[in-house]
Amino acid sequence: MLRQTHLGSSDAGTTPRDMTLGQAKPGFKGNILAVDPVGVQGSLPEEELERRLLEMGLVEGAEIEVLHQGLIRRDPIAVRINGRATFALRRREAGAVLVVPA
Amino acid sequence: MSHCAEAPENGAVLLADNTARIALIGNPNCGKTALFNALTGSRQHVANYPGVTVERKAGNFTTPGGRAIRVLDLPGTYSLRARSPDEVIARDVVLGRVASEALPEFLLCVADATDLRLSLRLALELKALGAPMALVLNMADIAKHRGIVIDTEKLAGMLGMPVVASVAVRKAGIRELLAFLDERVALGLPAPKPVPAWEAPDRHAMRDLQRQADTLIAACVTMPAQTYSTTARIDKVLLHPIAGLVVLFAILFVMFQAVFTWAQAPMDAISNLFDWFGVLAGHVLPDGPLLSFLRDGVLNGVGSVVVFLPQILILFFFILVLEDFGYMARAAFLMDRIMGGAGLHGRAFIPLLSSFACAIPGIMATRVIDGRRDRLATILVAPLMTCSARIPVYTLIIGAFIPDRHVLGIQLQGLVMFGLYAVGIVAALGVSFIMKRLVWRKAQHDPFLLQLPDYKMPSPRSVAIGLWQRAKAFLKRAGTTIFSMMIVIWALCSLPLAPKGATQPTIDYSAAAWIGHVLAPIFQPIGFNWQINVALIPGMAAREVAVAALGTVYSISASADDPGHLGGVLAAHWSIATALALLAWYVFSPQCASTLATIRRETGGWQWAALVFAYMLALAYGAAFVTYQLACLAGLG
């Protein structure tokens, strides 16, 4: 629901198109628009995945930079949050993080 | 004293005196364990991999002001919403839910001063419990060096708790903290109350906590203009999709080369020492049962195991240094997808790497894997990694049966050894793959979320402490389990005594021979003779004992004055087919009672241990059978 709202708002405006962290390439810099795990496949219930991401400090407004990616299917990725802590996560879970390029 | 608590409702054990009980809690990698060591001087391993503190550690110390304090080092956690078994412990202690652990009277929330975001959120979460606590800004020196300025007074005011800076890795660095504790304890600590109705923060609460933490940082912390750190520069190479993997495999290659080349000289020295003891015993003691027991049983048996200490220490040296450096989390990052193909989690890499030294620490290290399926998959295959206890068996048989020559410029013995390691790894991946298809067909993926800590220079002290602990554990095992097994083996091999006028060696009349012959029909199809059957039984206690047992069996059967070299004796008694079958057997055999016991403990039931035992036994028998029969067909029987 949250995702649709954001997608809708971006379609209307001139702001860059919304994308998820799961689609970001190394070198990407931006901010988190929303953490919304709806539709992300995995063993965790959506809310639990959301809390895990929040636990890493991935909250709305945080600055994000994609630093590295793995060899196979460019997965997982290493991201820096607010210019400090670096976390590794898979693109699947990163798909729950909506970002806007800086 | 006022801070001496009444018995809490959960019946926790209380210290009789007026010792104050404090607990350290904090994120993984905040230097909490280093702080614990600095406070207590306790010998404990400090490493850089998130979540390495897999056991609760307690220690006592006295403040400069003479206050006795017992400090508990809780496993690293990002939140009280515990996910892994480690974090459950941390949460339950803080909430007073652990029956064996008295509720702490005071909490020290340890934070990495260079990155307060996640620590402050944890501090806010803890504050909501209402327990008396303080925030410790650890690694204050590094933060200062990087130009990070923290207004501690303002932070303390806004956060509503005392804030103390510390530098755990330096002696002088905890002076301020000790002075604070002195003062705080003098004020008296109220009796702690368990928090029965605690509820995990939901997503809204967590967002809220993180926003509060970010507000605190914005108000109290001045960050320098962002510069590219050393860690980022190193990661450009070590996390590069291709260069990173090349470096990882190069490290592994060097590690295994070192295990075999560096260890040679110290191993020869240990071996010579035990030989010399044997000769000495021969001079001092008269020929007879006592000499036989001491020389053939004790010295031969224990010596043939202790000789592998250098290899084990070299392997652990690499693991400890890489862990302390902060590399292990990177290895997990690089290997996640590669191991994912076989159904293993990236975090399984470290436990599996540790399993090359010994499956037991490997299985215990799986506690950092929070998904149960991922954790079980790792535990199931960890015993297939070639642990150092197999090295004695491999080295002995390879030395005796594989010619010492070069094939296409590669040393043949080393190639066979490498092959045995490779078979173990391939088998582990295969078993995990099959389990994923059969047992966990419908299971969904567990996420992979892992902090990549900043690199730091490995501390020689913490590596030394780690190595010392491994050496102690190994020697203790050699001195107890292996020693006692050797006594049993010697007795079985020597008793009952040969009848007067016997023409055969003593062992042919012994209980061991009888057992070996009884087992013969089972093991005959895989080419094992009765001496091997005898050695397999004590090998259940620990794999390497099989070598010691073979040493004893053949040394007692050897005609009195020629103890000979075990390898040479075996080469004379066994066919190549038998030797190859035994190698195949040892790649898979579930011959380690302690590993099975550890699996039972870590999985909470016998069924997983039984599964491991059954599938490994089946693989071992099958592999040995195929190897033996093929080798016989090839004319090596």
Side-chain angles (χ1 to χ4, degrees), chain B residues 232-312:
Chain B
R233 275 197 294 268
I234 298 175
D235 272 345
K236 276 211 154 66
V237 179
L238 293 190
L239 288 186
H240 186 275
I242 293 159
L245 280 173
V246 171
V247 171
L248 174 61
F249 286 110
I251 290 172
L252 293 181
F253 183 78
V254 169
M255 189 164 115
F256 286 114
Q257 280 293 306
V259 165
F260 289 100
T261 52
W262 298 2
Q264 203 51 53
M267 285 175 76
D268 288 346
I270 294 174
S271 173
N272 289 339
L273 183 72
F274 274 90
D275 284 351
W276 181 76
F277 280 144
V279 172
L280 192 70
H283 285 311
V284 175
L285 293 170
D287 223 8
L290 183 61
L291 176 62
S292 162
F293 169 70
L294 204 64
R295 195 175 55 193
D296 303 332
V298 178
L299 289 173
N300 233 321
V302 175
S304 57
V305 174
V306 171
V307 74
F308 294 96
L309 182 63
Q311 289 186 331
I312 290 168

Side-chain angles (χ1 to χ4, degrees), chain B residues 388-463:
Chain B
S388 48
R390 285 183 179 91
I391 297 175
V393 184
Y394 289 176
T395 321
L396 173 71
I397 297 171
I398 288 174
F401 291 91
I402 307 297
D404 183 10
R405 59 186 160 89
H406 288 70
V407 175
L408 304 171
I410 301 167
Q411 213 258 338
L412 192 60
Q413 293 184 334
L415 193 67
V416 172
M417 184 64 106
F418 181 78
L420 292 169
Y421 270 88
V423 171
I425 296 168
V426 170
L429 296 178
V431 168
S432 155
F433 183 78
I434 291 166
M435 289 298 289
K436 182 183 160 194
R437 288 297 143 107
L438 289 182
V439 184
W440 290 303
R441 216 172 20 207
K442 293 193 188 113
Q444 297 268 26
H445 291 266
D446 287 326
F448 173 74
L449 302 171
L450 180 65
Q451 189 172 10
L452 304 176
D454 282 353
Y455 291 109
K456 68 178 176 70
M457 273 308 281
S459 131
R461 182 166 171 264
S462 89
V463 171

Side-chain angles (χ1 to χ4, degrees), chain A residues 18-99:
Chain A
D18 286 0
M19 58 184 285
T20 72
L21 184 58
Q23 301 158 339
K25 294 192 171 109
F28 171 89
K29 284 185 187 181
N31 290 81
I32 297 178
L33 194 62
V35 178
D36 174 21
V38 171
V40 175
Q41 296 286 308
S43 65
L44 295 180
E46 282 165 0
E47 170 154 4
E48 176 59 20
L49 176 60
E50 185 173 344
R51 286 191 290 189
R52 298 259 181 118
L53 293 167
L54 295 171
E55 213 169 80
M56 289 169 28
L58 291 165
V59 293
E60 285 73 6
E63 284 168 36
I64 205 140
E65 181 183 356
V66 179
L67 299 177
H68 307 280
Q69 63 186 12
L71 178 66
I72 297 174
R73 295 187 181 192
R74 307 183 294 119
D75 201 28
I77 54 173
V79 297
R80 190 177 355 215
I81 303 162
N82 273 7
R84 274 295 311 143
T86 308
F87 275 89
L89 73 166
R90 294 199 192 120
R91 287 189 181 273
R92 185 204 317 271
E93 285 92 43
V97 182
L98 292 168
V99 288

Side-chain angles (χ1 to χ4, degrees), chain B residues 467-480:
Chain B
L467 279 182
W468 170 238
Q469 284 171 344
R470 308 294 173 182
K472 226 168 40 181
F474 178 78
L475 290 176
K476 198 180 153 209
R477 227 153 75 91
T480 54

Side-chain angles (χ1 to χ4, degrees), chain B residues 56-192:
Chain B
R56 278 175 301 161
K57 307 266 169 163
N60 290 296
F61 68 96
T62 311
T63 62
R67 308 273 167 188
I69 293 181
R70 176 170 169 275
V71 58
L72 188 67
D73 183 23
L74 294 173
T77 183
Y78 291 104
S79 157
L80 285 181
R81 292 179 339 95
R83 312 161 318 183
S84 67
D86 263 10
E87 297 174 353
V88 170
I89 291 275
R91 179 197 67 197
D92 287 353
V93 168
V94 170
L95 296 180
R97 292 181 183 173
V98 180
S100 59
E101 190 66 58
L103 196 58
E105 294 164 299
F106 194 78
L107 292 178
L108 286 178
C109 179
V110 187
D112 172 356
T114 66
D115 185 18
L116 287 176
R117 265 193 105 215
L118 303 184
S119 303
L120 281 180
R121 199 203 45 228
L122 178 64
L124 289 165
E125 216 183 305
L126 289 166
K127 192 189 158 198
L129 300 178
M133 64 180 294
L135 182 71
V136 182
L137 300 178
N138 198 25
M139 309 196 205
D141 57 334
I142 302 178
K144 198 174 164 191
H145 178 77
R146 289 194 189 156
I148 300 169
V149 183
I150 303 171
D151 186 341
T152 47
E153 268 176 45
K154 193 171 175 190
L155 183 60
M158 289 179 74
L159 196 55
M161 68 178 76
V163 176
V164 193
S166 76
V167 184
V169 291
R170 271 200 235 121
K171 275 228 165 86
I174 59 166
R175 226 175 262 154
E176 193 186 332
L177 178 62
L178 286 173
F180 165 78
L181 285 174
D182 245 342
E183 239 173 80
R184 188 62 191 82
V185 174
L187 288 176
L189 296 168

